[in-house]
Every structure is written in C-alpha cells, then in structure tokens.
Amino acid sequence: MTAIVATCTVQGCCIAHEHKDLNELKKEAALVITSATATVINELCQNVYQLPNSLLRLSTDVWKHIKREPKKPTWNIQTTVVMGFLQAFRDQNLTNSLEFWRLVLIAPTFLTPITCRIVPESIPIIRRDLPGIVKKLDDQENGLRTLDAEWVSAISAWEKIYGGHTQSNIIFGKKAPLLLDVAPSCEKIIMYLHGGAYCSMSAQTHRTLTHKISKSTKRRVLAVNYRLAPETRFPGALYDVVQTFLHLIDSNGKHHYDPKNIIIMGDSAGGGLCLSMLLYLRDHQLPLPEGSILISPWVDLTFSYPSWKEASLYDYLPADPNELKAMNPALLYLENIDMVRHPYVSPVFADNFDHLPPIMIQSGGCECLRDEIADITSKIQSSKTSVVHHEIYEDMVHVFQAFPFVKSAEAIDSIGWWAKIGIPFINQWQTKQKVHEQCGVDCQETELRKLRPVSQH
C-alpha cells in the first residue's frame, strides 16, 4: 500500500488517505473484465447450442397459425413470427447474466431510420438544492458531471442525403414546417425516458421508436441516458431525469424552455420513471410539464399483479421476475428492497394523484403489466384534479409500438393527436375551469369525445 496525498475540500487543509497501488487496481479490473467476458461468451455459445430447439418452437407457432390456431385471434403471421422468436429467446436465456442481456439488447441501435437526425446533447449536472430523497445526491454534485442525451427528429430523405434546411420538410410526401424553425424558448419538445428495467438499453436503442414519435408529434425528442442499475441505485435515475428537466427549463441555461411546452414521455421502466418524476415535482412544488404520455408504464416493482403470470403465454416478458436471480430488476435497482413500495419506486402505491398534468397511457391487452396499468389508471381517474386517458390495444404486447405491427401505427398516430390536440385542449380547459370540481373532469372527457371519436382497438 502506498500513501497518496490528496487535497481536501476545506481551504488551507490537506489530508493523506491511502489508495491501492495503480498496478493492483489494473490487475483487479482486468480480472473482472475477463470473468464477465468469459461468462458472456459461454452464454452466447449456449444460445447457438439451443438454436434448434428455438427454431422448432418457432416453427410450431407458425404451423398453428397456418392451421388458423394463432395464440391470439387478431394476430397476423408477422405478429406470430416476431412473438414466437422473442418468447423462445426469452425462455432459453432467463438465467443469463446482466452483461449478456446488455450485449444483445444493443441490437436495435443498428436499426436507426435513414430519415432520423441525431444531435448529441450533454446535460450539465449542477447542485440545485433539491429536497427530499435526492438531496444527498444533489449535495455531492460539484458541477463537473454531465449526462449524455440526444435530440431525435424526423426529417426528409432529401434533407438527410443532401443536408441543409429547406422552406419545408417533406416527410413521406407530406409537407410540414421544419421542427427546428421555432425559437428555442417557444419550441414544443418531448423529453423521452427509455425502458429497459432500469438496468439496460439506452436512448440509442430506442431510436426507431423516438423517430416515429417525432414524426407523429412534429416535435423534437430529447432522449435521455439516465444512469443504470446496479452501478447506480435508486434514486440515481430519478435524480438524473429531474436534473434534465430542470436544465431544460432553467432561465439561465442553454435552452430556457417553458415547462408548458414539454411533454414527458417514456416506455416500460421509463414510463414508470416519468410518473415518479411527476410525483416528485408535484410533491416539492417544482414546475410541472405540459403533460405526459406513458407507453406500457412499469409502476409496480413488487410484481404482485396476476397478469405477470397470466399473460406470459402471449407476452415476451418473463412470467415472474421475482424468481430470477441474476436478472431481478427490483434487486438490481434498489439498495434496500424495503423501498420497493416507495411511490417514487412503484408509483402505483402513491397516496394520491391529484394536481398532475394531463396523462395519456397506452398498453397492450395481453401484456404482463396489464393489471397494474389498469389499477393506476383507475387511481388517477379517481383523483379530483388530474385527467388520464387510457388506450388498451386488443391482443397487443408490452411496448408493441416499437414493433412493426399493424396496430403500432395506429397507436403512434394517437400519440401524435394527443400531443398536438388532446393535451393542449385539456390544459386550456383547466385554465378556464375550477379543476377541483369533479364535474370539470367529466366535462373534459365529453368535449374530448366530440373532438375525436373513441377508437375500437
């Protein structure tokens, strides 16, 4: 052991503290990397070995579909093939390591659409005197850390190939004003939080989905790479997204957006994180966004709802993640499992959902999160001052909007309508009415039905 002198944070005072020799640290790091690499290689080899079994299972599903016995009556052959492959892959890899799943889940990154413009963004993390559960993390900030994010916008193929800006942005034959022509402080944007059970995936893996959202809503999308578990435990991810939102609306910052021009959006764990952030902002009297759109939000980390097991025959998520050892997301996310019912961890257990911005939720009719999403929707609807609209798509799975299914396009179009018309209308109505009266909520729903017929999914 060798002593290294380091300057402390108190002016005029120095302390000596011990560190391991640099060579020792390098050796330990090399051993960890070697061990993880060997594990992943072994798991990949096991996948190759199990490939015939997976193909047999997939062939069985396809044959049943051909005989007009699909798992779900509305599934076409494309849905059957995609879900058969995902379920076979899931079942043969349930016990694999987190490193393995992180490796295979980067695959969607290579599917970035050609008409997708990506602009990197670096979010400076500074001390903001944030209260409550994130106070300890906030006190540790010294202004040197940044958070990676990226702006995603849908552009025309012409602009992608030849570059530059034109008078109008041609998107698949339709003229629309360029998304970047709006003054920064007035521009309407979406802040997007990706899914991945809090421990995998990224803004980059979700480009196909955020591109669709940008095209439908005519807004730029800021996709945030919040820190993942288990390297960063709760409330690290919550702190990162709160910091990002406050950075966007900071009057002294780079963007100085009006919070009422920002929709918070996320899928799966990202959807649950959106709701956790809304609850934190509300509880501490911080500015709230224009609204929120949640795709299959994961709002209960206790896995206590029956649909986790009942829907596993159709969905690609595991039947009971609590039974997993290496990949139990709740254990990876939480330092103390007793926090699992904290409302910022599992929003379904929040005491109330009053005074939240308008919320739109989309979910699949046969996904594992079906019951908890229905429950939290009911709880929000029972509040006196918050409005929620829930769309359930028959026979669809978890975050089906990310897949090339027929109903995915319908759902994305609905997201666009809500971003452009639905949420702004509710906000305008609430500024004119006394939102604490229950009849106000009923009137809002009536007026919305007049604006747009309720679709049958």
Side-chain angles (χ1 to χ4, degrees):
M1 306 288 284
T2 57
I4 299 177
V5 177
T7 304
C8 71
T9 57
V10 180
Q11 187 176 1
C13 179
C14 291
I15 59 172
H17 66 135
E18 295 185 341
H19 290 280
K20 290 184 178 179
D21 183 79
L22 182 60
N23 290 329
E24 290 183 43
L25 291 173
K26 288 182 177 179
K27 289 179 180 178
E28 289 185 5
L31 286 173
V32 172
I33 293 172
T34 302
S35 176
T37 303
T39 300
V40 172
I41 292 175
N42 178 62
E43 291 167 343
L44 288 172
C45 291
Q46 288 294 323
N47 259 276
V48 175
Y49 179 75
Q50 294 290 334
L51 186 59
N53 292 334
S54 299
L55 291 176
L56 177 60
R57 175 173 173 175
L58 178 58
S59 300
T60 302
D61 288 344
V62 172
W63 177 245
K64 287 183 178 180
H65 186 96
I66 292 173
K67 293 198 309 178
R68 299 185 179 180
E69 298 176 3
K71 287 185 176 180
K72 284 293 183 179
T74 63
W75 284 12
N76 58 19
I77 187 65
Q78 181 187 38
T79 306
T80 296
V81 170
V82 171
M83 294 312 303
F85 169 77
L86 291 177
Q87 289 171 353
F89 189 81
R90 170 199 67 188
D91 292 343
Q92 74 180 39
N93 293 292
L94 279 177
T95 59
N96 283 358
S97 64
L98 174 60
E99 291 76 15
F100 170 85
W101 283 105
R102 284 180 171 176
L103 176 64
V104 299
L105 288 174
I106 66 171
T109 306
F110 303 106
L111 302 176
T112 302
I114 189 173
T115 56
C116 184
R117 170 180 284 143
I118 307 296
V119 179
E121 175 82 8
S122 184
I123 309 295
I125 306 300
I126 62 175
R127 189 178 301 173
R128 295 184 181 274
D129 296 324
L130 295 175
I133 201 166
V134 301
K135 184 180 188 304
K136 183 178 179 180
L137 292 176
D138 193 61
D139 290 342
Q140 295 171 355
E141 295 296 341
N142 56 14
L144 300 179
R145 185 169 72 89
T146 59
L147 199 66
D148 291 334
E150 63 179 31
W151 290 100
V152 179
S153 53
I155 61 173
S156 68
W158 177 273
E159 187 177 355
K160 181 71 175 181
I161 296 171
Y162 295 101
H165 298 285
T166 58
Q167 291 298 319
S168 63
N169 189 16
I170 311 299
I171 301 178
F172 292 91
K174 296 181 180 180
K175 292 186 177 182
L178 273 172
L179 299 173
L180 302 179
D181 287 344
V182 186
S185 59
C186 300
E187 180 189 5
K188 289 181 174 290
I189 65 167
I190 290 173
M191 176 178 154
Y192 194 90
L193 310 181
H194 67 83
Y198 294 113
C199 58
S200 64
M201 308 195 82
S202 64
Q204 289 71 33
T205 62
H206 280 62
R207 283 174 178 171
T208 300
L209 182 55
T210 51
H211 171 264
K212 291 179 184 179
I213 293 166
S214 174
K215 180 183 174 184
S216 177
T217 62
K218 300 296 186 292
R219 298 188 183 203
R220 287 196 301 160
V221 178
L222 180 67
V224 183
N225 279 320
Y226 55 86
R227 290 173 294 174
L228 300 177
E231 293 82 2
T232 301
R233 308 272 188 158
F234 174 81
L238 174 62
Y239 176 68
D240 286 351
V241 299
V242 169
Q243 274 273 5
T244 301
F245 178 70
L246 296 179
H247 166 72
L248 291 173
I249 66 174
D250 191 341
S251 59
N252 298 317
K254 174 183 177 181
H255 300 290
H256 50 86
Y257 290 110
D258 183 341
K260 296 306 179 185
N261 286 337
I262 302 175
I263 289 179
I264 306 298
M265 187 171 179
D267 68 279
S268 193
L273 190 57
C274 286
L275 198 48
S276 298
M277 185 179 78
L278 292 179
L279 292 172
Y280 176 85
L281 294 174
R282 179 205 65 181
D283 292 346
H284 297 91
Q285 292 80 51
L286 292 167
L288 287 165
E290 175 186 8
S292 185
I293 299 175
L294 313 178
I295 299 176
S296 297
W298 183 28
V299 294
D300 173 33
L301 273 65
T302 68
F303 309 106
S304 57
Y305 288 85
S307 58
W308 271 101
K309 292 185 178 180
E310 295 172 358
S312 63
L313 176 64
Y314 315 106
D315 207 354
Y316 56 87
L317 296 179
D320 189 358
N322 260 338
E323 297 178 357
L324 303 178
K325 294 181 180 179
M327 277 297 294
N328 184 331
L331 295 178
L332 293 172
Y333 186 52
L334 299 173
E335 193 76 47
N336 180 4
I337 196 61
D338 292 338
M339 294 283 289
V340 73
R341 289 177 174 267
H342 193 288
Y344 300 161
V345 175
S346 299
V348 74
F349 297 112
D351 291 335
N352 70 85
F353 296 92
D354 292 327
H355 307 295
L356 294 177
I359 297 172
M360 186 256 209
I361 300 175
Q362 287 185 345
S363 63
C366 64
E367 70 166 285
C368 290
L369 277 65
R370 179 192 63 211
D371 292 348
E372 64 192 74
I373 295 173
D375 193 17
I376 199 166
T377 299
S378 176
K379 290 181 178 181
I380 298 174
Q381 287 174 338
S382 66
S383 67
K384 295 182 179 180
T385 56
S386 298
V387 177
V388 62
H389 173 75
H390 184 198
E391 296 179 350
I392 304 174
Y393 289 77
E394 182 184 7
D395 295 342
M396 286 292 97
V397 297
H398 186 62
V399 195
F400 66 92
Q401 296 85 346
F403 298 97
F405 300 151
V406 173
K407 291 185 179 179
S408 300
E410 180 185 345
I412 294 295
D413 287 344
S414 181
I415 288 173
W417 186 89
W418 273 89
K420 291 180 287 189
I421 300 175
I423 290 176
F425 170 80
I426 294 173
N427 283 321
Q428 291 174 8
W429 182 277
Q430 288 179 331
T431 60
K432 298 176 182 178
Q433 303 293 324
K434 295 180 179 180
V435 295
H436 64 273
E437 296 177 359
Q438 182 61 43
C439 64
V441 176
D442 298 334
C443 291
Q444 291 166 20
E445 291 291 340
T446 301
E447 292 298 324
L448 280 172
R449 292 191 190 98
K450 294 179 182 177
L451 283 174
R452 181 172 187 258
V454 178
S455 58
Q456 300 294 324
H457 305 300

